[in-house]
């Protein structure tokens, strides 16, 4: 089973505009048109069974509509292998109840993007959200490291995510059982990979942390479709494997950041790495499958 743990789609009405704006801001190119349908078609073409959609709220005013549609579309998306997480924003007043509501409607986790949300990853308003997720058993996926659209903005440094993990008041022993995970995108910190590697032992000690591989590796050259590697350096296979070995293959989740990279090409690159079949299977889907499988537990209040 192959699972892409980090993708983005937009409602059909705004997908075109969203893609143009985001691509313009970050000087990247989109491989798809940003709709659920094009993601499902890409999955079919590349043999990916399931994609996790991670919605980002850039203001608190978007939370209710994003989460309502994530809930409403669950059934129909499941048929094409799509699962959406919820969104949260540090300014959203009713965060505590909204997270409970997400949990009760079967949503598995939330996505937060501190750079777009104008907050430090270890700001107190973010810590209370993580803590609530740990209590409820919701996964937290965080943008980590620099963002291609905001050069030098240090809100998601690896030292901050380590700090946040250490500050969790809800015991991580309990939360590990209830499904809470702290998932750092882009191999723990986009363009801050030396620091990720240096802090790896401390991360492993601090709590249930995983890394996704989104937009961090390989150098794709499909004509006219990709960024120039000279402008946007990615991890080469040696650097990538150093982080994989430091964290362990059980903590790595295959992810593409689709539409911002190509699922099929990304998969090809992963398969070229010096990994055993078991290790590759774990990264490409088994680790994620275990996280996403239904749990028999009643929601908390
Ligand atoms: Zn992303």
């Amino acid at each position: 089973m192959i699972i892409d743990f980090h993708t983005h789609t937009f409602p059909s009405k705004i997908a075109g505009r969203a893609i143009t704006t985001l691509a313009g801001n970050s000087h990247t190119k989109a491989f798809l048109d940003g709709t659920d349908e094009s993601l499902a078609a890409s999955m079919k073409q590349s043999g990916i069974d399931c994609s996790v959609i991670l919605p980002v709220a850039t203001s608190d005013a978007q939370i209710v509509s994003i989460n309502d549609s994530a809930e409403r579309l669950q059934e129909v998306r499941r048929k094409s292998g799509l699962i959406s997480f919820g969104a949260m924003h540090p300014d959203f007043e009713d965060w505590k109840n909204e997270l409970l509501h997400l949990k009760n409607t079967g949503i598995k986790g939330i996505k937060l993007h501190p750079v777009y949300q104008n907050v430090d990853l270890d700001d107190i308003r973010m810590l209370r959200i993580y803590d609530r997720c740990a209590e409820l058993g919701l996964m937290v996926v965080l943008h980590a490291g620099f963002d291609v659209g905001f050069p030098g903005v240090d809100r998601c440094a690896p030292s901050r995510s380590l700090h946040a993990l250490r500050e969790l008041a809800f015991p991580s022993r309990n939360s590990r059982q209830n499904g809470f995970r702290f998932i750092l995108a882009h191999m723990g910190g986009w363009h801050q990979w030396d620091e990720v590697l240096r802090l790896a032992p401390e991360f492993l000690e601090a709590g249930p942390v995983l890394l996704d591989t989104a937009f961090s590796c390989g150098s794709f050259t499909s004509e006219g479709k990709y960024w120039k590697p000279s402008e946007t350096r990615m991890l080469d296979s040696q650097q990538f494997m150093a982080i994989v070995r430091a964290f362990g293959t059980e903590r790595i989740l295959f992810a593409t950041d689709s539409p911002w990279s190509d699922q099929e090409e990304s998969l090809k690159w992963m398969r070229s790495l010096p990994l055993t079949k078991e290790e590759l299977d774990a990264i490409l889907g088994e680790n994620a499958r275990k996280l996403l499988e239904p749990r028999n537990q009643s929601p908390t209040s």
Side-chain angles (χ1 to χ4, degrees):
M1 171 161 230
I2 299 178
I3 300 175
D4 182 344
F5 213 86
H6 183 149
T7 66
H8 303 282
T9 65
F10 306 89
S12 330
K13 259 198 226 159
I14 64 155
R17 197 157 26 99
I19 291 285
T20 312
T21 310
L22 287 165
N25 290 347
S26 50
H27 314 288
T28 45
K29 289 198 170 152
F31 281 73
L32 304 172
D33 68 8
T35 60
D36 279 11
E37 291 72 20
S38 71
L39 179 58
S42 159
M43 289 159 62
K44 215 168 198 182
Q45 157 131 0
S46 39
I48 291 174
D49 304 284
C50 170
S51 288
V52 178
I53 299 167
L54 301 176
V56 174
T58 53
S59 83
D60 57 334
Q62 299 171 339
I63 292 295
V64 171
S65 68
I66 291 179
N67 289 343
D68 280 356
S69 81
E71 289 156 21
R72 193 161 24 82
L73 295 174
Q74 280 187 98
E75 267 317 303
V76 68
R77 278 179 165 157
R78 194 170 296 138
K79 288 179 195 136
S80 33
L82 302 173
I83 294 178
S84 181
F85 275 26
M88 188 40 66
H89 191 283
D91 294 339
F92 188 69
E93 224 170 275
D94 201 22
W95 57 277
K96 212 171 179 180
N97 284 322
E98 185 69 15
L99 291 171
L100 172 65
H101 176 68
L102 284 173
K103 175 70 183 181
N104 285 342
T105 45
I107 300 284
K108 297 285 185 184
I110 57 164
K111 166 75 187 273
L112 290 157
H113 198 312
V115 178
Y116 283 13
Q117 296 175 333
N118 215 15
V119 66
D120 289 338
L121 189 149
D122 57 348
D123 185 281
I124 186 72
R125 290 173 300 153
M126 298 295 267
L127 297 181
R128 64 187 189 180
I129 292 173
Y130 311 146
D131 208 53
R132 178 70 165 159
C133 290
E135 181 190 6
L136 293 170
L138 285 168
M139 287 181 256
V140 176
V141 182
L142 278 155
H143 175 82
F146 291 129
D147 185 278
V148 65
F150 294 80
V153 175
D154 185 39
R155 290 190 178 282
C156 302
S159 58
R160 292 188 191 276
S161 33
L162 180 60
H163 175 223
L165 204 52
R166 284 181 171 153
E167 287 292 309
L168 280 182
F170 194 82
S172 58
R173 213 176 330 105
N174 294 353
S175 53
R176 202 185 288 265
Q177 284 155 12
N178 74 6
F180 169 75
R181 293 292 185 282
F182 207 64
I183 300 168
L184 301 174
H186 316 299
M187 290 306 272
W190 197 76
H191 275 226
Q192 296 188 296
W193 293 304
D194 292 342
E195 202 183 340
V196 172
L197 205 48
R198 188 169 56 77
L199 296 175
E202 294 174 65
F203 268 115
L204 298 189
E205 209 160 285
V209 67
L210 290 95
L211 312 182
D212 86 26
T213 68
F215 204 73
S216 64
C217 45
S219 58
F220 304 97
T221 50
S222 315
E223 221 184 49
K225 271 187 162 180
Y226 225 60
W227 61 87
K228 294 187 188 117
S230 57
E231 285 169 16
T232 309
R233 188 181 64 87
M234 295 285 159
L235 289 168
D236 64 28
S237 51
Q238 211 176 336
Q239 296 163 323
F240 181 84
M241 284 306 300
I243 299 178
V244 169
R245 292 300 173 211
F247 281 79
T249 47
E250 71 279 16
R251 290 192 189 80
I252 309 293
L253 301 168
F254 169 64
T256 65
D257 220 350
S258 173
W260 309 116
S261 69
D262 181 67
Q263 287 187 314
E264 197 174 17
E265 287 295 322
S266 303
L267 207 45
K268 216 184 273 174
W269 192 84
M270 296 296 302
R271 287 179 169 138
S272 75
L273 294 168
L275 292 160
T276 67
K277 187 182 179 308
E278 283 72 33
E279 289 171 335
L280 185 65
D281 288 348
I283 293 174
L284 291 186
E286 275 306 295
N287 295 337
R289 189 188 57 77
K290 287 178 203 156
L291 293 179
L292 296 170
E293 74 189 4
R295 287 163 189 277
N296 323 315
Q297 62 157 121
S298 48
T300 335
S301 53

